[in-house]
Amino acid sequence: MPARKKSSGPKATVDEMLLYYRRMLLIRRFEEKAGQLYGMGLIGGFCHLYIGQEAVVVGLEASAREGDKRITAYRDHGHMLACGMDANGVMAELTGRADGYSRGKGGSMHMFSREKDFYGGHGIVGAQVPIGAGLAFSDKYKGNDSVTFVYFGDGAANQGQVYETFNMASLWQLPVVFVIENNQYAMGTSVSRASSTPDLYTRGASFGIEGETVDGMNVVAVRDAGAKAAKHARSGAGPYILEMKTYRYRGHSMSDPAKYRTREEVQGVRSTRDPIDQARDMLVEAGHADQDSLKSIDQEIKAEVNEAAEFSRTSPEPDPSELWTDVYAA
Amino acid sequence: MATEILMPALSPTMEEGTLAKWLVKEGDKVESGQILAEIETDKATMEFEAADDGKVGKLLVPEGAEGIVVNTPIALLVGDGEELESTSESMTPPMPPAESEKPESPLPSLSPPAAAAASLGTVRQRGTEFRQQTVREALRDAMAEEMRRDEKVFLMGEEVAQYQGAYKISQGLLEEFGERRVVDTPITEHGFTGLGVGAAFGGLRPIVEFMTFNFAMQAIDQIINSAAKTLYMSGGQMGCPIVFRGPNGAAARVAAQHSQDFAAWYAHIPGLKVVQPYAADDAKGLLKSAIRDPNPVVFLENEILYGRGFDVPAADDYTVPIGKARIWREGEDLTIVSFGIGVSRALEAAEILADDGIRAEIVDLRSLRPMDTEAVVKSVMKTNRCVTVEEGWPVGSIGNYLSAVLMQQAFDWLDAPVANCAGKDVPMPYAANLEKLALVSTEDVVAAAKAVCYR
């Protein structure tokens, strides 16, 4: 196994590091399980896995506080688990069952939790960006100091509505952190083939929005950048852009032939930059964890994911009467 | 020889205006391009300049005169050194008094006829106090009343604040409610519509004004995919209480990209409510209901109707329920169903038909989703014949849908096939004569009515 860079730079306490490790591992194992259930035909339609990008949401959630909002696109399972939504409810939604977060009517791409301030789960590339700015608008209107984290990918970064939103967010000084999850590929098109300028964090410059690029595979670096950006937005100084350099190991969706990149490229990132391996190494090197304690965390997570899978298979399908509910609010 | 200076048309739908201020006086020399007067239209106050060099011979209309019809002579210009010929005065029409009564608009102000007292969905109790209001004023009042009632209601859109509304619908709202609640947006429909949807998810009650619904096509993804579907997709967790409003349908001479009726488009979408009022009282009552509704409501207005006057109940709490039709006129021989400006065609047609002894019942749908098909079926079971009238295109139209409903629910009552009067199946042409041909006309409605009556 090629050597990874020794961890240096940003620091976290033992408890924080264990928490991040656990959360990232939960997302990874959950997604692996979702991939298996998809293969078994229990999950249908589109299913976009977050494997490889775990440090982004886990790091940013560590910089959020009570009342902050988050919104993302369709690669959303990780975001839901990271903000504390229940794995059972997420998995049951993936299988289209009555106990899913949307009672089986939303599916992988359309889940929400008012309780956890998770506003979706949006299937149209870029549509969540102005909506997220609107959430921030509502907080500013109400006069509180909450911040909205608006996630989108390198593909969405070329959408017109993103720039309409940058303009308004800066003009009205909205408390938004724009998080560009640059996983290098918009479906099968690499950033270099789709973007006239590769440094996406600079895309707000013409609107007066500051931005920076972050190692999105290092959970502590992500957390620290998130804290800085959230502080900026919370202070009334307006939006901030974080470009997270990250990587997705799996295909765009489950039906991706993966002809646009080599196995070696994927393997190279996995073996040198994996966010979970990095966290584990930090823990082991500092003497805060050994093989046994890591194994017990692994087993706990595996049990949680297995339980979610079992729950999602045994939860009933929605009652046929559900077809007609929730079209209109009374 | 004196040249007449005529009251200019300063907007596509302007029929009359106010001479707000003369900037020249009789005897002044003027040059081509010099500002002669300020003229106030229904939308704005504009400067009006001289087209020729010369001397102001006579001002024919005093400052402050209202209701000056387009093309009325307002001044006489004479050549330099020339004097006004003594005969010229007799050629000019008499000067209207400053407080002249407004000239008759194409349709006289319509008070509800006695028959409408029992109109469906509209409670008109004896003793209700009414006042004359234009549709424009009624819409403004509806928003202002709801903004006073609920702090979460705010208005956003292009030119809604400082400009007072591109069509003056939001006149005075900035002064009363301030910049926080009356928000001028950049010209970015896609972005600000999405932002409005997010604000609704965040617990506010946005009113999003589209300068016209033509521009809402830039934003239709947010209206349909985000606003209309999220309640369902979230299993009932997250609704979107928002109003999308603005003028819809043909204005006048603005051609294909600015003249179309989106009623059938939005009426197709589950999760949306769709309203298209005709009269000012319905505009007010329905807009208030729309703002209070927990669902996204597409509120389709009409530019040509903005300046038209109707009796509106004076009460602050006047609302009209969404989803109830209104009967404007009772009749025994056929039912004419319409909505929005189509109702004025239907009412005109009913007058003409009455002269031929054909008694038409006029049903104004007011709401297109949910649609009061029950009222239509009930009327047709009485009259046995039906004509539908709308501005939109004929394929996949509201009239098509109503025809199907009547076929399914009133087949045995129909004495003739249902006739659909719609806009012609072409993009809107610019030329005046072609535009007239493309729009649904009163004559079309009369002809269709006679056809279904086999007359």
Side-chain angles (χ1 to χ4, degrees):
Chain A
M1 196 191 222
R4 275 185 295 278
K5 274 197 292 182
K6 293 275 183 198
S7 56
S8 60
K11 293 279 185 291
T13 67
V14 183
D15 288 348
E16 286 169 348
M17 210 58 219
L18 282 168
L19 182 72
Y20 306 156
Y21 176 74
R22 188 181 273 277
R23 285 186 173 166
M24 289 194 291
L25 198 61
L26 172 65
I27 294 171
R28 174 129 341 154
R29 297 287 174 259
F30 181 96
E31 293 290 65
E32 286 166 354
K33 181 62 76 178
Q36 290 163 14
L37 295 183
Y38 192 94
M40 294 160 70
L42 286 161
I43 296 173
F46 294 130
C47 187
H48 309 87
L49 302 182
Y50 199 64
I51 296 173
Q53 301 180 214
E54 297 90 345
V56 177
V57 283
V58 171
L60 286 170
E61 283 298 337
S63 70
R65 70 184 201 198
E66 187 73 25
D68 286 351
K69 299 178 169 61
R70 64 279 293 156
I71 186 167
T72 187
Y74 42 79
R75 195 178 306 286
D76 56 354
H77 313 159
H79 301 71
M80 292 186 277
L81 297 173
C83 74
M85 287 168 66
D86 172 38
N88 287 2
V90 178
M91 197 69 96
E93 188 60 38
L94 296 184
T95 54
R97 304 303 172 97
D99 295 306
Y101 266 98
S102 297
R103 294 201 254 163
K105 297 200 279 195
S108 165
M109 300 184 285
H110 317 109
M111 267 185 262
F112 308 83
S113 169
R114 275 229 184 262
E115 189 200 345
K116 300 290 181 190
D117 282 310
F118 178 73
Y119 288 84
H122 293 266
I124 305 296
V125 174
Q128 78 278 16
V129 179
I131 295 173
L135 292 167
F137 180 97
S138 73
D139 281 322
K140 186 172 169 137
Y141 186 96
K142 293 174 199 159
N144 63 41
D145 67 350
S146 294
V147 165
T148 301
F149 290 86
V150 179
Y151 295 84
F152 55 102
D154 48 283
N158 292 320
Q159 274 274 356
Q161 58 185 322
V162 169
Y163 297 94
E164 298 188 17
T165 304
F166 280 1
N167 182 45
M168 288 182 286
S170 181
L171 183 69
W172 298 333
Q173 299 280 284
L174 300 179
V176 184
V177 177
F178 293 111
V179 182
I180 304 174
E181 296 196 64
N182 182 352
N183 66 15
Q184 325 286 331
Y185 294 94
M187 211 170 145
T189 304
S190 66
V191 171
S192 64
R193 293 204 302 124
S195 298
S196 58
T197 52
D199 290 326
L200 304 178
Y201 70 92
T202 65
R203 292 277 178 98
S206 62
F207 304 95
I209 306 177
E210 280 181 65
E212 62 184 85
T213 181
V214 182
D215 176 3
M217 306 299 268
N218 180 328
V219 69
V220 184
V222 170
R223 182 202 63 185
D224 290 350
K228 179 184 165 191
K231 188 179 171 197
H232 176 94
R234 215 182 297 284
S235 73
Y240 200 91
I241 295 172
L242 296 175
E243 179 188 356
M244 297 290 165
K245 297 280 199 200
T246 183
Y247 198 80
R248 92 172 127 71
Y249 300 167
R250 296 293 186 93
H252 164 72
S253 69
M254 295 303 293
S255 46
D256 182 345
K259 293 274 198 275
Y260 48 87
R261 59 183 184 184
T262 60
R263 258 175 206 285
E264 289 71 31
E265 180 186 309
V266 181
Q267 201 46 48
V269 176
R270 273 196 107 124
S271 56
T272 59
R273 295 179 61 209
D274 185 81
I276 297 173
D277 287 354
Q278 285 193 55
R280 191 187 53 208
D281 288 357
M282 281 187 228
L283 285 166
V284 172
E285 282 165 20
H288 300 312
D290 55 26
Q291 291 308 318
D292 284 349
S293 62
L294 291 173
K295 203 170 178 184
S296 80
I297 292 175
D298 263 358
Q299 280 168 346
E300 282 168 40
I301 300 270
K302 198 171 269 178
E304 185 178 351
V305 168
N306 283 338
E307 189 207 318
E310 188 56 25
F311 181 81
S312 78
R313 300 168 66 145
T314 51
S315 171
E317 288 190 313
D319 189 89
S321 66
E322 284 285 343
L323 178 65
W324 299 103
T325 60
D326 306 323
V327 180
Y328 292 100
Chain B
M1 182 68 194
T3 314
E4 285 181 340
I5 297 174
L6 305 178
M7 183 70 171
L10 298 171
S11 82
T13 52
M14 175 177 168
E15 285 161 357
E16 57 174 56
T18 297
L19 208 149
K21 191 174 183 189
W22 279 114
L23 299 172
V24 294
K25 56 184 189 301
E26 289 177 7
D28 281 0
K29 275 191 185 176
V30 295
E31 288 177 2
S32 168
Q34 186 178 337
I35 309 298
L36 298 178
E38 286 177 1
I39 291 178
E40 197 183 333
T41 71
D42 56 349
K43 291 185 201 163
T45 301
M46 320 264 289
E47 291 177 336
F48 172 50
E49 59 186 41
D52 278 312
D53 294 347
K55 191 169 80 174
V56 179
K58 189 156 185 61
L59 300 181
L60 302 172
V61 170
E63 231 173 59
E66 292 177 10
I68 313 295
V69 174
V70 168
N71 284 334
T72 305
I74 56 173
L76 293 174
L77 200 65
V78 294
D80 204 10
E82 221 178 328
E83 289 306 317
L84 199 61
E85 292 165 36
S86 58
T87 51
S88 62
E89 235 172 315
S90 62
M91 289 158 50
T92 62
M95 184 182 287
E99 293 303 317
S100 69
E101 266 188 81
K102 292 205 171 194
E104 271 202 296
S105 50
L107 245 204
S109 157
L110 285 162
S111 305
S119 73
L120 292 160
T122 311
V123 181
R124 286 185 172 279
Q125 283 160 342
R126 237 177 256 272
T128 304
E129 208 184 305
F130 289 90
R131 61 169 172 240
Q132 265 281 306
Q133 270 197 318
T134 61
V135 171
R136 170 180 286 113
E137 291 162 342
L139 291 168
R140 193 258 332 271
D141 284 359
M143 287 193 286
E145 287 170 19
E146 292 307 300
M147 287 174 79
R148 280 175 214 133
R149 183 175 171 269
D150 183 353
E151 168 79 13
K152 296 193 294 295
V153 179
F154 73 98
L155 173 67
M156 64 186 291
E158 293 156 9
E159 310 292 5
V160 297
Q162 291 195 9
Y163 196 95
Q164 305 289 321
Y167 295 93
K168 277 194 184 169
I169 304 301
S170 54
Q171 209 161 17
L173 296 184
L174 175 64
E175 285 76 357
E176 182 174 352
F177 299 102
E179 286 181 341
R180 174 169 162 265
R181 300 182 67 194
V182 185
V183 183
D184 274 330
T185 65
I187 308 177
T188 51
E189 282 81 7
H190 196 182
F192 74 67
T193 302
L195 195 146
V197 170
F201 289 159
L204 303 183
R205 293 200 165 240
I207 306 169
V208 173
E209 175 174 312
F210 292 116
M211 193 178 288
T212 79
F213 260 92
N214 301 290
F215 314 140
M217 272 198 282
Q218 298 252 10
I220 202 163
D221 171 67
Q222 291 288 3
I223 298 173
I224 294 173
N225 272 322
S226 303
K229 297 179 183 173
T230 298
L231 183 72
Y232 196 81
M233 294 193 302
S234 66
Q237 273 190 79
M238 215 163 83
C240 188
I242 190 169
V243 176
F244 302 106
R245 50 154 291 272
N248 165 66
R253 306 296 309 284
V254 290
Q257 292 179 334
H258 288 74
S259 312
Q260 58 203 316
D261 178 5
F262 292 93
W265 290 45
Y266 291 112
H268 191 62
I269 310 298
L272 289 181
K273 291 189 177 181
V274 184
V275 169
Q276 190 163 353
Y278 161 59
D281 53 344
D282 289 337
K284 182 176 180 184
L286 284 164
L287 183 53
K288 285 167 70 78
S289 295
I291 294 167
R292 294 180 195 183
D293 202 283
N295 297 287
V297 181
V298 171
F299 194 94
L300 303 168
E301 301 161 8
N302 185 287
E303 185 188 335
I304 292 165
L305 293 176
Y306 278 154
R308 217 169 274 184
F310 295 84
D311 282 343
V312 179
D316 254 17
D317 57 353
Y318 180 70
T319 59
V320 172
I322 294 173
K324 290 286 177 198
R326 172 176 183 173
I327 294 179
W328 279 91
R329 184 178 172 125
E330 292 191 341
E332 311 298 321
D333 298 324
L334 85 152
T335 301
I336 305 180
V337 189
S338 192
F339 52 94
I341 197 169
V343 175
S344 69
R345 307 274 167 273
L347 289 168
E348 286 163 351
E351 283 295 320
I352 294 168
L353 292 165
D355 292 341
D356 281 344
I358 300 173
R359 297 160 301 170
E361 179 148 304
I362 307 299
V363 180
D364 174 0
L365 291 172
R366 301 195 292 193
S367 299
L368 302 166
R369 178 180 268 274
M371 195 188 290
D372 192 356
T373 52
E374 201 180 313
V376 176
V377 169
K378 192 175 162 203
S379 175
V380 172
M381 283 179 172
K382 179 176 80 173
T383 64
N384 312 112
R385 297 160 206 277
C386 184
V387 171
T388 66
V389 183
E390 69 197 289
E391 254 198 356
W393 288 303
V395 180
S397 65
I398 299 293
N400 289 171
Y401 175 66
L402 281 174
S403 304
V405 168
L406 289 169
M407 189 166 67
Q408 287 157 1
Q409 297 181 26
F411 188 76
D412 291 337
W413 280 266
L414 284 171
D415 286 346
V418 177
N420 296 151
C421 292
K424 305 307 179 293
D425 203 11
V426 295
M428 186 64 72
Y430 168 70
N433 64 328
L434 298 182
E435 182 186 59
K436 202 167 169 221
L437 288 170
L439 287 164
V440 65
S441 68
T442 303
E443 294 71 39
D444 292 340
V445 181
V446 171
K450 287 186 172 171
V452 301
C453 291
Y454 302 113
R455 294 272 293 262

